[in-house]
Amino acid sequence: MPEAWWKSAVVYQIWPRSFADSNGDGVGDLPGVIGKLDYLRTLGVDAVWLSPFYRSPMDDMGYDISDYQDVDPVFGTLADIDELIAELHARDMKLMIDVVVNHTSDEHPWFIESRSAKDSPKRDWYWWRPSRPGMAPGEPGAEPTNWRAAFQGSAWEFDPATDEYYLHMFSRKQPDLNWENPEVRQAVYEMLRWWLDRGVDGFRMDVINLVSKFLPLVDGKPVPGTRFGDAWPQVSCGPRIHEFLHEMHLEVVAAQDRVLVTVGEMPGATLQDAQLFTDPVREEVDMIFQFEHVDLDHGPGGRYDPKALCLTDLKASLARWQTGLADRGWNSLYWDNHDQPRAVSRFGCDDPEYRVRSAKLLATVLHLHRGTPYVYQGEELGMTNYPWSSLDEFRDLDSLNYWAEAVGRGDDPGKVLAALRAQSRDNARTPMQWNGSENAGFTTGKPWIPVNPNCAEINAEAQLTDPTSVFTHYRRLIELRHEVAAVVHGDFTMRLDDDPHVYAFTREYADERLLVLANFDDHERSVELPDADEWTGAEVLISNYPDEPGRWTLRAWEATVLRRAPAPAVHEEPVPGQS
Ligand code: TEU
């Protein structure tokens, strides 16, 4: 097999609902995506990860699928997907689709059949349980376990048709599939092979570490402020997870004669888990999306209890993953996706004075790590969080459910809104800012979610031809990954571990060495490296200041990458008389 192409690739994530609307209905669609492929070619990315476009009631914006083998009419048709695959391949880009197989929609025919009767042939395709012993079905507190769903409330929904409950780790419209049943697994593998036959090049697997649960299902530790318990330790990376992923690899991936890419989204997975999941000899997945670094600004109350990020924690975390997967396995690298607030507002500074600089700094730091970088739509423009001012602007069910829960228990609505402003997933979901017109060039109709008013300043049209733009900086970073072997393969060493403001590391490959220096602060910071002398005269590979970088005195949000050129080859003079 040739070397895995995804090791030197940069992947671009498209969340189709907010990318580009071709028909004026206010919702992004597949023809809209196809119309922007030259933009992606200009950026230089190698592959697209396309978030769900399948038939769906859209309770969770497409992560609740009612037909895995069709396109939702709001996004287009199967013919559009075929065209997208062909147009991507014509531009030498790959397509990774998002597969959501921990759960289906409650409107999927499998679930409709399953819920119809206790003796339905598909009953066991989902997790059905009677009420708690001694309690009447449907009575509050009679749920089979005390588990809380990721989107608040109980993880069990009572179904009066058969007087039993079904499990849903996310919304009640997302019942969990029972992977213990081999028929379920075979149905999933068959569906994935069908997509490979259509030409897709790989899969991003939604919450795939939840498909093996610890049995029996038992109560979790109480979650403060709720009447529920924590389900996570019982459903995450259960005893059969490696077996299931290996089986999926054999049934779906190994049979192909081309190199595919698989990435498992795995909230709660540890580095030790990742070392197993991504070890190539185990044949499970190529890489995982881990959450450790994006959970560092969560307080004791979780996502909606945000606290300031401590840079030394971030450095320690990412360095552990770099080192931990250095010999076996592979990292995925990301700041942003459709579930996270915008990185520049969260880890950088979205104040106009430092927005561009800090967006470039974050990009530089991430793209110089070892692993496969993921760019989320709009990140390459330095798009920011939205200035939310009232609840009616939000669309995400997680945000709306959190509001209902928190305000319902008496939390101050102002405080709840502030938490959503910082942490809502809708920050990532406002429309892509193509130009400075009223709807940012996203739609000619009424956008399904508000457009960020800063599209007048932050938009693709203005940045494409500007050599100082965030877009141009990303483009150059992507080029570096393709041109400089040390960026892809180099060993990673964290430097200045305890410095609270400066993120510094080296990459080393053969005789090529890179030094990355980044100041996460609006004040000048100086750095002292014991081997500073060795970098005298080193080439500046990329920097976010236009003039000669400060080197050992870093200005506000300055990021620089230095390259020590390989030592010139020594040519030995042939000794006369010897051949
Ligand atoms: O996300 C899984 C996940 O655990 C989170 O990132 C989730 O957004 C968070 O718990 C909410 O607070 C995946 C998808 O990426 C997400 O969009 C889906 O909503 C979720 O699975 C269910 O399919």
Side-chain angles (χ1 to χ4, degrees):
M1 273 275 179
E3 160 94 328
W5 57 266
W6 42 264
K7 287 199 171 172
S8 57
V10 177
V11 183
Y12 188 90
Q13 185 193 350
I14 293 179
W15 197 73
R17 198 177 188 84
S18 291
F19 192 61
D21 172 21
S22 72
N23 61 4
D25 65 357
V27 174
D29 48 41
L30 296 178
V33 173
I34 294 167
K36 298 296 184 186
L37 297 186
D38 286 333
Y39 169 83
L40 298 184
R41 194 75 212 113
T42 305
L43 182 59
V45 293
D46 305 271
V48 166
W49 149 24
L50 182 62
S51 279
F53 49 83
Y54 317 91
R55 265 189 199 270
S56 163
M58 303 291 168
D59 187 53
D60 186 19
M61 299 299 169
Y63 282 85
D64 49 320
I65 298 172
S66 55
D67 185 347
Y68 290 110
Q69 283 160 279
D70 202 1
V71 173
D72 196 274
V74 80
F75 295 131
T77 62
L78 278 174
D80 293 325
I81 278 285
D82 291 342
E83 189 183 336
L84 174 62
I85 295 171
E87 292 293 326
L88 279 165
H89 288 172
R91 290 169 180 79
D92 259 341
M93 287 188 272
K94 313 258 191 209
L95 180 64
M96 183 194 292
I97 58 171
D98 205 323
V99 294
V100 187
V101 290
N102 171 67
H103 44 267
T104 66
S105 162
D106 66 336
E107 297 181 35
H108 193 291
W110 296 345
F111 187 74
I112 294 172
E113 168 64 52
S114 182
R115 89 188 313 175
S116 66
K118 279 186 184 167
D119 60 359
S120 150
K122 290 208 166 46
R123 186 64 167 182
D124 185 47
W125 281 42
Y126 295 83
W127 296 93
W128 289 98
R129 289 289 186 273
S131 55
R132 219 171 251 273
M135 295 192 76
E139 188 185 321
E143 295 89 4
T145 67
N146 65 355
W147 295 356
R148 183 181 200 232
F151 297 149
Q152 291 77 40
S154 172
W156 294 98
E157 181 72 6
F158 178 62
D159 195 32
T162 54
D163 264 0
E164 285 193 330
Y165 295 78
Y166 64 84
L167 176 68
H168 60 88
M169 285 312 305
F170 293 88
S171 94
R172 63 170 64 90
K173 288 186 67 61
Q174 293 169 299
D176 279 44
L177 280 165
N178 175 14
W179 276 57
E180 299 289 327
N181 183 333
E183 286 174 17
V184 168
R185 306 203 299 275
Q186 287 305 326
V188 168
Y189 306 153
E190 201 179 311
M191 177 273 287
L192 296 177
R193 286 191 294 257
W194 184 86
W195 278 107
L196 289 175
D197 290 344
R198 274 201 117 84
V200 305
D201 306 287
F203 306 110
R204 178 266 188 190
M205 299 167 175
D206 192 69
V207 288
I208 200 69
N209 61 325
L210 301 198
V211 299
S212 166
K213 289 141 171 81
F214 288 89
L215 300 176
L217 312 181
V218 296
D219 282 347
K221 277 211 313 237
V223 176
T226 74
R227 67 174 181 88
F228 301 108
D230 183 10
W232 222 254
Q234 331 264 355
V235 298
S236 165
C237 299
R240 298 185 72 187
I241 188 64
H242 296 289
E243 173 198 337
F244 291 163
L245 291 182
H246 181 56
E247 181 184 83
M248 177 148 58
H249 179 94
L250 293 180
E251 293 268 354
V252 179
V253 176
Q256 297 286 315
D257 56 4
R258 58 206 169 107
V259 181
L260 303 174
V261 60
T262 53
V263 45
E265 188 213 24
M266 301 203 185
T270 63
L271 173 59
Q272 288 68 33
D273 296 323
Q275 285 167 335
L276 298 178
F277 287 128
T278 70
D279 181 349
V281 302
R282 297 176 57 89
E283 301 183 307
E284 297 183 19
V285 291
D286 296 322
M287 50 192 142
I288 74 162
F289 286 129
Q290 57 103 354
F291 283 65
E292 203 178 279
H293 66 303
V294 289
D295 288 349
L296 289 173
D297 64 351
H298 295 182
R303 173 181 193 123
Y304 298 111
D305 178 23
K307 60 174 191 192
L309 175 77
C310 167
L311 189 70
T312 47
D313 290 350
L314 179 69
K315 295 197 294 187
S317 168
L318 289 175
R320 270 183 59 248
W321 284 78
Q322 288 286 296
T323 317
L325 295 180
D327 299 327
R328 268 175 305 150
W330 194 250
N331 270 289
S332 63
L333 309 169
Y334 76 95
W335 295 132
D336 271 333
N337 60 40
H338 64 292
D339 295 331
Q340 301 292 334
R342 291 282 178 181
V344 68
S345 302
R346 183 185 188 187
F347 303 130
C349 173
D350 63 9
D351 203 88
E353 194 178 350
Y354 297 123
R355 184 184 62 78
V356 170
R357 244 186 251 306
S358 67
K360 290 180 184 174
L361 171 140
L362 289 169
T364 309
V365 168
L366 191 81
H367 282 245
L368 264 294
H369 278 72
R370 185 163 183 269
T372 301
Y374 288 75
V375 180
Y376 177 66
Q377 64 189 40
E379 180 188 334
E380 77 283 15
L381 305 175
M383 275 177 61
T384 66
N385 283 352
Y386 181 87
W388 309 101
S389 56
S390 67
L391 186 68
D392 60 3
E393 293 170 320
F394 291 96
R395 301 287 179 270
D396 174 29
L397 90 164
D398 186 37
S399 303
L400 299 174
N401 289 357
Y402 171 69
W403 171 277
E405 181 187 84
V407 173
R409 71 175 166 231
D411 289 6
D412 166 29
K415 227 182 103 201
V416 177
L417 186 65
L420 287 178
R421 203 177 285 133
Q423 284 291 339
S424 170
R425 305 197 294 184
D426 280 338
N427 282 304
R429 300 176 177 190
T430 63
M432 178 71 178
Q433 293 166 206
W434 294 106
N435 61 39
S437 67
E438 194 193 348
N439 289 325
F442 162 70
T443 181
T444 53
K446 185 173 158 18
W448 71 278
I449 191 171
V451 171
N452 198 314
N454 66 17
C455 70
E457 299 87 53
I458 305 173
N459 65 72
E461 191 179 85
Q463 296 195 25
L464 266 166
T465 53
D466 174 359
T468 69
S469 66
V470 178
F471 180 90
T472 303
H473 196 84
Y474 268 86
R475 197 177 159 178
R476 179 71 188 127
L477 287 167
I478 296 166
E479 251 169 33
L480 288 177
R481 185 157 292 265
H482 296 149
E483 289 167 4
V484 180
V487 174
V488 179
H489 301 290
D491 291 343
F492 177 100
T493 309
M494 186 62 89
R495 308 296 304 271
L496 308 173
D497 303 60
D498 300 327
D499 190 308
H501 306 290
V502 175
Y503 200 124
F505 57 94
T506 54
R507 302 289 310 280
E508 221 166 328
Y509 184 68
D511 50 5
E512 188 163 50
R513 286 185 77 198
L514 308 176
L515 172 65
V516 180
L517 295 169
N519 176 14
F520 276 68
D521 194 23
D522 3 342
H523 298 285
E524 197 173 275
R525 298 282 166 189
S526 55
V527 292
E528 275 181 39
L529 281 179
D531 56 346
D533 284 355
E534 292 176 31
W535 296 93
T536 315
E539 169 199 3
V540 178
L541 211 51
I542 189 166
S543 149
N544 64 352
Y545 269 74
D547 47 351
E548 179 58 13
R551 301 234 173 176
W552 312 121
T553 306
L554 298 168
R555 290 162 280 183
W557 295 100
E558 179 164 4
T560 305
V561 182
L562 299 178
R563 168 160 64 179
R564 233 180 53 188
V570 180
H571 296 292
E572 299 216 347
E573 290 294 322
V575 180
Q578 287 186 3
S579 57

